[in-house]
Amino acid sequence: MEYNLTDVASVIRSKNSGPYELTFDIIFKEVEMYRKVKSAQVFNAQMFAHLYHIPESQIINLVHFDPAKAVKITIVRPIPSGALGETDVYGAQQHAPLMKMKFTLS
Amino acid sequence: MNELRILSPTAILGYGFPMESFAEGMKRKPHVIAVDAGSTDPGPYYLGAGKSFTDRNSVKRDLEIMIPAALEAGIPVIVGTAGGSGARPHVEFAVDIVKEIAREKQLSFKMAVIQSEFDKEFVKENVAKGNISPLFPAPEITEADVDESVHIVAQMGEEPFIEALENGAEVILAGRSYDPSVFAALAIKYGFDKGLAIHLGKILECAAIAALPGSGSDCMFGYLHQDNFVLEPLSPLRKCTTLSVAAHTLYEKTNPYVLPGPGGAINLHESKFEQIDDNKVRVSGSRFVPTEEYFVKLEGVRRVGYRTISCAGVKDPIMISKIDSITQSVKDRVKNNFETYGITDFFLDFKIYGRNGVMGMFPDAPQSAGDELLIIIEAVADTQEQADTICGFARSTMLHFGYEGRIATAGNLAFPFSPSDCKMGEVYEFNVYHLMKVEDPKKLFPIEYVQF
């Protein structure tokens, strides 16, 4: 069955983690859905690199955090916060591709 | 002592708090009022320019309530990362406000001022000794990078705060501080578990952001015990839930299980979050794991130049369809025009909102264009005058640029403002974000005492 991430997540956000990293949090509404997504490895480095059109080597960390029913992905910021070419100093509006994301669970 | 109580009035000093929440906090007889006053989030400018990103009147308003209340209750007020970035001018900004409050309200107290800005020579000595390593993904540091930096600050742990408390400070204003330190210092001084104290500090530093609904301008209260801590929001409108607290543990962190700081990391693999009543959450199991050697985090910025911008809209569908080739042609024309004049070292960029303005840092991600665009022409050069010249020339070139297929021949840009160009002043970038090995986490952060 296909799901829209926006239907099953209560929080989808991006933010700086220090000036050199961007971090993305997805918090699920229901623990059951979180467990399914976790065991099916819906979120993995390959999928995330594809979503943002970045090399997999730019992904620093991808972790499931049970206490918050959350997946967290941290990447190398394409440019450090505030460097020339910046478009989002706080990194708080880089989550949009996740809001269009669909995934399939069997 | 079985319980240590901590009042966190607001997420950032100057963001404010409702008086009702603060009064609820004081009713619970806190042992300390602590607040974080800074962040690197607003970007490199503030550390470089020596300016606060929070407004002076707003900071004064918060301190004017906190300091008299704390003095009356006989408890300390601790402020970390004073002035927003914690270099000497930022600390001075906060000291000046406290002096004004003491004078106006005729208050008498002992203040400790802790500095966190390092001299460049000292940092260079440490570069030479190999004591400084980059925090991935920052690049390696050289002595030249240090020379270029305007201010270099280090994040202090709880040790200098404990010393100031032992010396009877009633108000502590500190430079750049590891956010949880201001909340954890008194607890660690009294022998409470450091892992729990720092984890509690991690949550309190954002005040009511960890509640539901979250707010950066409302109070949060922490109760620290020997083997757990409890969080309670002070507004009846908010609740702490296991989810809101656990979710906050993710916020702005690389990895929610291991949170590194000065001298070690807190490990959350065994942490438990329990709902103990409608609006309170109990947390246990968090551990502090010290590193073999003590490291502090350095932050520094260098000046890149001066910026001028011009904003304009585009509605013409033919122009929108050719926008990339137009901006490239304008760039080429600007470069060519000033080459012979000797202005060659500048940065010229077009941020195109309605297409990839927000996510321009991911150039390969798919783009879609709306039926109108906002273009920000940005020039950065060695002087403000040169930035004005480059931006102004790019703007006039773009306005009348005769692109292929053009049928609207009167002008290409819709300016919302006259004048169309805006001087943005100095531009900085981070160039130091490194760990430095230190022998004594206290003596690097000198403390001065002032008696009012």
Side-chain angles (χ1 to χ4, degrees), chain B residues 172-188:
Chain B
I172 305 177
L173 291 184
R176 187 67 173 126
S177 312
Y178 175 52
D179 296 344
S181 301
V182 293
F183 303 94
L186 186 66
I188 295 170

Side-chain angles (χ1 to χ4, degrees), chain B residues 55-76:
Chain B
D55 176 72
R56 191 182 193 280
N57 287 328
S58 306
V59 171
K60 189 179 173 192
R61 181 269 179 193
D62 288 359
L63 285 173
E64 212 162 33
I65 296 165
M66 290 160 57
I67 294 174
L71 292 176
E72 200 188 316
I75 59 171

Side-chain angles (χ1 to χ4, degrees), chain B residues 316-342:
Chain B
D316 185 308
I318 302 172
M319 173 141 173
I320 289 175
S321 72
K322 294 175 185 295
I323 195 69
D324 283 330
S325 72
I326 294 169
T327 54
Q328 189 54 51
S329 301
V330 172
K331 271 187 190 172
D332 294 344
R333 187 71 265 286
V334 174
K335 189 169 170 239
N336 172 278
N337 199 71
F338 291 102
E339 237 160 17
T340 50
Y341 196 62

Side-chain angles (χ1 to χ4, degrees), chain A residues 30-38 64-66 69:
Chain A
E30 306 296 338
V31 71
E32 198 184 336
M33 176 57 76
Y34 165 71
R35 287 202 186 114
K36 281 186 196 164
V37 165
K38 183 181 173 182
H64 290 83
F65 188 56
D66 296 349
K69 301 179 287 201

